[in-house]
Amino acid sequence: MKYFVNEDCIGCGLCESTCPEVFSIGDEGKAAAVDSEVSDEFLDAAAEAKENCPVGAIEEKE
């Protein structure tokens, strides 16, 4: 499973605080996801970050 952060991101940092192994806040103040498959040990935390994103900016990527 991969994740993608779309243009709706408001840079709140919730995803990064929930799963820093997958999400980070870039220089522009917006979140980004790693461009690789999320390892099994971080799948639950990444899914939690997606579910809790206040603007629904995190998408699953195939």
Side-chain angles (χ1 to χ4, degrees), residues 37-50:
E37 290 288 321
V38 175
S39 66
D40 290 344
E41 66 185 302
F42 303 123
L43 284 176
D44 288 342
E48 180 182 342
K50 178 184 182 287

Side-chain angles (χ1 to χ4, degrees), residues 32-61:
V34 295
D35 192 29
S36 60
E37 290 288 321
V38 175
S39 66
D40 290 344
E41 66 185 302
F42 303 123
L43 284 176
D44 288 342
E48 180 182 342
K50 178 184 182 287
E51 290 175 22
N52 292 320
C53 177
V55 294
I58 300 173
E59 302 174 21
E60 293 177 3
K61 183 177 171 184

Side-chain angles (χ1 to χ4, degrees), residues 4-56:
F4 170 76
V5 180
N6 68 35
E7 65 279 351
D8 294 337
C9 177
I10 59 173
C12 71
L14 182 64
C15 60
E16 182 181 42
S17 66
T18 303
C19 189
E21 297 82 6
V22 176
F23 302 101
S24 61
I25 301 295
D27 293 338
E28 314 82 36
K30 304 286 181 158
V34 295
D35 192 29
S36 60
E37 290 288 321
V38 175
S39 66
D40 290 344
E41 66 185 302
F42 303 123
L43 284 176
D44 288 342
E48 180 182 342
K50 178 184 182 287
E51 290 175 22
N52 292 320
C53 177
V55 294

